[in-house]
Amino acid sequence: MEHRINDLQIESQAHESLDFPVCINQMSSITYQCPNDKTEELNVENPKKRPYNCPYSGSKCNVTGDIQWLLLHLRNDHHVEMHDGRSFSHRYVHHNPKHLHHATWMLTLLDCFGRQFCLYFAAFHMRKTPMYIAFVQFMGDEQEAMRFSYTLEVSGNGRKLAWQGVPRSLRESHKTVRDSQDGLIITRKLALIISTDNNNSKELKLKISGRVWREQ
Ligand SMILES: [Zn+2]
């Protein structure tokens, strides 16, 4: 029997296209057979052309390649959703937030300014304290990443918590970014207060909206 590693869900809706269908993803522990990587086709001498690691967060994946290759791989092999537009709004549902045994991740891709970004949401423990973190990573090198900024905002029940950040390059792993706490961090206690569904205390619903822009 396949064991589900978590019960985290995402319900997403793009801000800029109101008729965009609400989609629901669910992360599972499926082990992907990833195709052979394209490392040998890339020039390892040129740091700009150094291959990137697959940014997928749900299972260990050793695929490497350039950004265009990884975008195809994320869509075809990991079935990651891509959202067009610089504004976004997602609702994350954690079905059983009181029983968080392993770190769990959700990944959505954002496409704007002709570039792509990874939006991560994770439930994890920081020194035994259950937490949530959301952040954006740029699918490209460090130098170009610094030309962008983003905001994230979580709100509900009259509370609002906002974060403004600079996306870190995909050269760093999502776990490195999480461990450096470079994102919107919400403790589980606060998350339960902000949760938009107080009627069902077992379930946590967090609405996180955000925007990416390019610095002049
Ligand atoms: Zn992968």
Side-chain angles (χ1 to χ4, degrees):
M1 202 183 93
E2 201 162 72
H3 174 63
R4 273 177 59 193
I5 54 167
N6 76 92
D7 46 9
L8 207 58
Q9 258 191 2
I10 175 176
E11 296 170 8
S12 322
Q13 190 159 25
H15 261 159
E16 293 187 338
S17 52
L18 291 174
D19 53 348
F20 200 88
V22 173
C23 53
I24 299 176
N25 285 340
Q26 201 160 337
M27 207 161 88
S28 70
S29 61
I30 296 164
T31 307
Y32 289 96
Q33 281 300 113
C34 293
N36 292 333
D37 67 46
K38 289 177 71 185
T39 313
E40 60 267 43
E41 289 178 27
L42 295 159
N43 181 2
V44 288
E45 303 278 307
N46 182 345
K48 285 220 166 199
K49 293 207 169 169
R50 214 162 16 108
Y52 292 88
N53 295 322
C54 170
Y56 187 66
S57 46
S59 58
K60 182 108 182 84
C61 175
N62 295 321
V63 165
T64 59
D66 62 19
I67 297 301
Q68 290 312 312
W69 167 252
L70 287 178
L71 287 169
L72 277 174
H73 163 67
L74 285 165
R75 193 174 61 202
N76 297 336
D77 299 318
H78 297 304
H79 310 291
V80 177
E81 296 284 337
M82 170 77 84
H83 292 279
D84 294 327
R86 54 194 78 171
S87 299
F88 51 88
S89 180
H90 299 301
R91 197 163 63 140
Y92 294 94
V93 182
H94 201 180
H95 293 298
N96 205 350
K98 295 262 192 244
H99 295 93
L100 171 64
H101 299 298
H102 308 283
T104 58
W105 290 86
M106 293 295 313
L107 167 64
T108 313
L109 297 175
L110 309 171
D111 189 327
C112 55
F113 302 104
R115 306 310 305 263
Q116 293 76 36
F117 300 81
C118 291
L119 168 65
Y120 288 101
F121 179 78
F124 69 110
H125 283 102
M126 194 192 290
R127 292 196 198 92
K128 293 190 178 168
T129 307
M131 305 276 213
Y132 297 93
I133 186 168
F135 58 87
V136 170
Q137 270 190 275
F138 175 67
M139 296 188 78
D141 65 32
E142 296 93 336
Q143 233 179 342
E144 203 178 351
M146 291 191 304
R147 295 188 200 142
F148 293 93
S149 293
Y150 71 97
T151 52
L152 291 173
E153 191 177 290
V154 60
S155 58
N157 291 318
R159 280 85 171 173
K160 190 185 340 185
L161 199 62
W163 161 259
Q164 180 173 324
V166 177
R168 303 265 284 257
S169 159
L170 213 59
R171 292 275 176 229
E172 297 179 81
S173 80
H174 52 278
K175 283 182 185 153
T176 305
V177 180
R178 177 198 68 187
D179 292 343
S180 65
Q181 301 174 29
D182 193 3
L184 175 69
I185 292 180
I186 316 147
T187 61
R188 183 174 63 195
K189 277 187 184 172
L190 182 58
L192 286 166
I193 294 170
I194 291 177
S195 176
T196 48
D197 185 7
N198 274 343
N199 299 326
N200 183 353
S201 58
K202 279 188 187 163
E203 221 170 53
L204 178 85
K205 288 185 179 170
L206 286 182
K207 184 172 159 278
I208 297 183
S209 52
R211 188 170 70 85
V212 175
W213 70 93
R214 189 158 36 195
E215 296 291 347
Q216 295 307 310

